[in-house]
Structure formats: structure tokens, C-alpha cells
Amino acid sequence: MEYAEIKKAAEGYLPQMTKFLRDLIAIPGESCGEEGVIKRIEQEMKEVGFDKVVIDPMGNVLGYMGHGEKLIAFDAHIDTVGIGEIVNWTFDPYKGYETETEIGGRGASDQLGGIVSSVYGAKIMKDLSLIPDNVTVLVTGTVQEEDCDGLCWQYIINEDKVKPEFVVITEPTDNGIYRGHRGRMEIRVQVQGVSCHGSAPERGDNAIYKMADIIQEVKALNDKLHYDEFLGKGTLAVSQVFYNSPSRCAVADMCAISIDRRLTDGETYISALEEIKALPSVKKYNAEVTMYDYARPSWTGLTYPTEAYFPTWVIPEDHPACKALVESHKNILGEPRVDKWTFSTNAVSIMGRYGIPCIGFGPGKEKEAHAPNEKTWKQDLVNCAAVYAGVPMSYKG
């Protein structure tokens, strides 16, 4: 197969990909409210000729192309974050905009472009007979990733009983191939106090003052965390503060913080919790240190509880899945940059929990994620669709 033919086919589908992406951007689809987006993807999958399209009980859409026993998957989460302060946008985030080279709107890079390119990548595979007889290609549009990375794939693997040979994560990579990222977890630290009237604070025990000491030690801990040569350093940040008090004229009798903890290679949720528990003020004030749980109903009403722990993962450069993506990229676009994400993806479950190999390549730029005036690039849609189309025949697993 001439790779130039694959690239030409992808370029020919740019008008359809552009319309598809703009349609998806126009449908608000924050976590747990993705129904309209999922059904629009289902419609497109059926129209372009997927052999089977299923919406599972959680609300993920799964499109199959081919009939072989070996499953190669392309995953795109299709929920988005909210728009934040509208004054920070220079255009309507749902109407979006289009120029000769760009498409703007909430989700353009993070990561509706990924489902667009993977759907049309699968169509090109079918058009040009690129799917080997022993392979089935699966494209997933997955839900609730922004709320709880990888929960959708916990359900797909455990309940749908789907286990791919490997998964291409289509989050934005700015034309690079990404082979890992740090994990993360969500930690709560809580201290108790005793309330009293604010006019005589010495009669009480102020929980906010206790937490102030803890926060300073948490801040200092960030500089001491483990460093990995490829993924970089683990980090933590206090992200939320809560309190309880009988009134604004009373001493607080409870204070709690949330910590966003990023885990580099070699760190676990156990080691991260123990680091917080070992802080002098945490011990002094007998603070409670726990990991958050997640249990929000999906758009279908299904609740699938999990702990808020998202493991680190790294795939070797010589793994067959990585080599397949690199080979396809090299033949279609040239020698790729192989790197890592700063943020987290569904691979925390797929590879981090279950050991199913993952490799990343997707349209858009990571820095566009969650930012106002989000955009992606039309050429990225074409490039990714073409590279995806070449993956099954490049895989030597």
C-alpha cells in the first residue's frame, strides 16, 4: 500500500471531518451530560460504514470495523470541561469558529478532534482494505473522563468484557507520539477544632489555624518529591479549602483541604498518603488523611464507584504498539517526536490498572486543554486520521 494514498484519502475527508467536529462542539457535553454528543457520534459511525455500533449501559459509544479476533482500539473521551468565565472568551465556545486552517470551540483540542480523526481513520482503513483479516478495529467515544480519568474503561473492561491488544489514546499531542504520563490521586486532609464565640477565641480551638500549619508543610513537601528521568517530578498542590463554623462570629470547628497529587514513576497512592501522614503538623493535630472516592451517575443514570486514584504508566519505545505508530507516522508524516503528556488520560486505567498497552497520538495541542478560546488545526485532523489508518498494517504484535 502506498502511504501517499492513505494521506490523500485523509485530505479528501477534511470537509466531512470539519463538519463533524463543528457539530460536536455545538452540543454541550460536560461530564455526565454527554448524551447528545454520544448520539451524534453514533450517527456518524453508522453513516461512514462501521460494521457494528453499540452504546453501552454507561453511555460509551463503541464502533467496530472488521471481524478478526485481534482487537486494536482507538480511544477518545468526548466529555468536556465547562466554559469558565465567559468574559475570557473572544467567541461563543459552542458556536465556535472556522478559518482556512483552524476550528475553535470548547472541546476542539480536548478532545473532540480525537474522535473525529479516529472515526475517519477507521473509514479510510475500510475504504482501502487496510484492516488485516485477523484484526478488528474498535473506536470508542468515552464518557466522564474529565470527572474521573479511566472510569469509562474500568467499565468497558470489567463489564463490557472488551480487552484490546493495545489502545491508541487520541488526546492532543501536538503531532508527537506520547508513550506515558504521570498518574494522579485526590487526597483530603481534615482537622477538627472546637467552636466558641469569636469575641473570645481563646475559649475554642481554631481548626483553620491548625490547617494553616499543615498547608505550609504540604507546600514545602512539593519540593522533596520523587523525580523520574522520563516523566519528571511528582507534584502536589492544595486545590480546595473547606471549613465548618456555627457562624461568621464563631471559631471554626473543622477545616479540610483537597490535594491534587501527581504521581511520577515509582510512586504509589500508598507512598503518597504516607508522606502526608508523616508531616509534623498532621501528626500534631491528629489530622485525618484519606483518598477521595468518585460515584456520580453517568448520563444514562448508571453509577460505577471507584477510588480517586489514577496510576502512572509508561510504555517502552521498543514495544510493538509504539513501533507501529512510529512506523505509520514515519511513512506518512516523517520522523516523529516521541515524548509524554503533562496531564492525565484514560490510559491510567487501560495500562495503569489493567496492563493493556497504550500509546498516544492525537490532534490539537495540550496547552489548549481547559483554556478559553480553545482551538485545533484542520491539518492535525488530516494527519491523525492518516496515521491511524496505517497502524493496523504496521503492527507486528
Side-chain angles (χ1 to χ4, degrees), residues 62-83:
L62 293 81
Y64 296 85
M65 199 80 89
H67 304 282
E69 69 280 0
K70 187 179 292 186
L71 194 63
I72 295 175
F74 295 79
D75 176 65
H77 81 79
I78 55 77
D79 57 321
T80 70
V81 295
I83 61 173

Side-chain angles (χ1 to χ4, degrees), residues 52 115 119 148 161 163 171 215 226 250 275 336 342 349:
K52 183 172 73 169
I115 191 69
V119 165
C148 188
K161 306 301 182 185
K163 189 173 182 181
E171 293 258 19
I215 288 173
H226 180 65
E275 286 168 338
T342 301
S349 283

Side-chain angles (χ1 to χ4, degrees), residues 70-108:
K70 187 179 292 186
L71 194 63
I72 295 175
F74 295 79
D75 176 65
H77 81 79
I78 55 77
D79 57 321
T80 70
V81 295
I83 61 173
E85 291 291 333
I86 191 64
V87 296
N88 292 326
W89 290 76
T90 59
F91 59 89
D92 186 304
Y94 296 117
K95 285 184 180 178
Y97 74 86
E98 179 183 348
T99 69
E100 188 176 339
T101 58
E102 297 175 356
I103 298 172
R106 176 52 87 215

Side-chain angles (χ1 to χ4, degrees), residues 135-152:
V135 168
T136 295
V137 169
L138 168 64
V139 175
T140 57
T142 46
V143 298
Q144 289 180 273
E145 189 271 354
E146 296 292 3
D147 251 16
C148 188
D149 324 15
L151 177 66
C152 47

Side-chain angles (χ1 to χ4, degrees), residues 224-228 232-235 261 264-267 275:
K224 305 171 186 175
L225 296 177
H226 180 65
Y227 176 83
D228 175 77
K233 194 176 78 69
T235 59
R261 177 67 159 90
T264 196
D265 207 17
E267 296 183 309
E275 286 168 338

